[in-house]
Amino acid sequence: MAEFAVIGIGRFGRSVAVTLQQLGHRVLAIDKDEERLRRVAEEVTHAVQLDATDAEALRGVGITNFDAVVVAIGNYIQESILTTLVLKELGCKKVVAKAVDELQARVLEKVGADLIVRPEKEMGIRVAHLLASPSLVDYLEVSPTFSIEEISVSTRLEGRTLRDLDLRGRFGVSVLLIRRDGQLLISPPAETVLRAGDVLVVVGENRQLSKLESSL
């Protein structure tokens, strides 16, 4: 069981905090807004009202003891940056910070954030890919050039094997697993016969994945 602190309990911060708690971890929710904390108090381990830019207040709740601290303030750019800086100066092991734009992301990187997330941008990219490719079930960018995609197997491909498709040879794309009737076929062999409704979970370069999408 790990321990996490989430600073800023808006929609994004609350989602992170509650999900971590549901996954079996201990979560401290921090916000200046008493009402936000009241709404989340029963869904996390602890909820504390304080100013996250106050180093002494953070030290008082043992902020450096947590496995990671998530700065989910986002829209209050100055407060987000200052909080991230204070956390790094205090010696927190890992600081994850939310950014609303590229400028904020660059500044957060410079003040020491270990991981920067841009949920609005990432969701926008995901939705665009899903709209552009009808066979695409889901999409996850793992780096600027590589992604993981879930691709639905159509009736046109039913009965063919992975060897027949030769996704690695034709597109440079690897099949990680197949989702079938609620089960996962991990590292499926080349002889695996596809069924309509199967979902292929594939990984590859974005340009190669785009070629694959257009061919299905």
Side-chain angles (χ1 to χ4, degrees), residues 1-6 9-29 40 42-45 70:
M1 179 191 300
E3 294 190 331
F4 300 97
V6 180
I9 309 301
R11 284 180 295 179
F12 174 72
R14 180 175 179 175
S15 176
V16 172
V18 171
T19 302
L20 285 170
Q21 186 77 30
Q22 291 172 343
L23 290 171
H25 302 294
R26 295 175 61 83
V27 179
L28 170 65
V40 80
E42 295 184 0
E43 300 180 277
V44 296
T45 311
V70 180

Side-chain angles (χ1 to χ4, degrees), residues 199-213:
V199 175
L200 304 181
V201 180
V202 300
V203 63
E205 290 187 59
N206 294 337
R207 59 187 180 86
Q208 302 288 35
L209 289 169
S210 295
K211 292 179 182 178
L212 171 60
E213 293 165 19

Side-chain angles (χ1 to χ4, degrees), residues 23-85:
L23 290 171
H25 302 294
R26 295 175 61 83
V27 179
L28 170 65
I30 297 174
D31 203 292
K32 292 191 297 185
D33 189 313
E34 184 179 359
E35 178 59 24
R36 286 181 175 180
L37 291 174
R38 186 189 64 77
R39 290 198 296 265
V40 80
E42 295 184 0
E43 300 180 277
V44 296
T45 311
H46 298 292
V48 176
Q49 183 181 13
L50 60 79
D51 179 356
T53 63
D54 184 337
E56 290 307 313
L58 290 173
R59 189 179 282 114
V61 297
I63 201 70
T64 58
N65 297 326
F66 290 87
D67 295 283
V69 182
V70 180
V71 181
I73 299 168
N75 293 333
Y76 299 94
I77 296 176
Q78 184 174 349
E79 185 176 344
S80 166
I81 293 168
L82 183 55
T83 297
T84 302
L85 178 61

Side-chain angles (χ1 to χ4, degrees), residues 15-207:
S15 176
V16 172
V18 171
T19 302
L20 285 170
Q21 186 77 30
Q22 291 172 343
L23 290 171
H25 302 294
R26 295 175 61 83
V27 179
L28 170 65
I30 297 174
D31 203 292
K32 292 191 297 185
D33 189 313
E34 184 179 359
E35 178 59 24
R36 286 181 175 180
L37 291 174
R38 186 189 64 77
R39 290 198 296 265
V40 80
E42 295 184 0
E43 300 180 277
V44 296
T45 311
H46 298 292
V48 176
Q49 183 181 13
L50 60 79
D51 179 356
T53 63
D54 184 337
E56 290 307 313
L58 290 173
R59 189 179 282 114
V61 297
I63 201 70
T64 58
N65 297 326
F66 290 87
D67 295 283
V69 182
V70 180
V71 181
I73 299 168
N75 293 333
Y76 299 94
I77 296 176
Q78 184 174 349
E79 185 176 344
S80 166
I81 293 168
L82 183 55
T83 297
T84 302
L85 178 61
V86 169
L87 291 169
K88 294 305 295 183
E89 288 182 340
L90 287 173
C92 290
K93 301 171 189 174
K94 184 174 185 178
V95 177
V96 178
K98 173 189 173 184
V100 296
D101 57 32
E102 193 61 40
L103 177 59
Q104 185 181 5
R106 290 203 301 269
V107 176
L108 287 169
E109 182 180 8
K110 289 184 181 297
V111 299
D114 300 287
L115 176 64
I116 299 164
V117 294
R118 294 180 58 185
E120 290 86 357
K121 177 184 177 182
E122 290 158 11
M123 181 54 72
I125 292 172
R126 182 179 176 188
V127 170
H129 276 267
L130 294 175
L131 290 173
S133 304
S135 61
L136 204 58
V137 177
D138 207 349
Y139 168 89
L140 174 65
E141 184 180 278
V142 293
S143 82
T145 56
F146 276 81
S147 299
I148 295 174
E149 294 186 351
E150 294 186 352
I151 298 176
S152 180
V153 174
S154 65
T155 53
R156 183 169 61 85
L157 299 178
E158 186 169 21
R160 301 184 68 181
T161 66
L162 290 177
R163 176 173 282 113
D164 293 334
L165 294 184
D166 189 22
L167 298 185
R168 180 183 290 275
R170 295 168 60 202
F171 304 102
V173 171
S174 299
V175 179
L176 300 177
L177 57 90
I178 297 175
R179 288 202 287 112
R180 174 180 291 171
D181 299 329
Q183 296 183 324
L184 298 180
L185 308 180
I186 300 173
S187 297
E191 294 76 21
T192 302
V193 178
L194 299 176
R195 302 177 187 173
D198 283 351
V199 175
L200 304 181
V201 180
V202 300
V203 63
E205 290 187 59
N206 294 337
R207 59 187 180 86

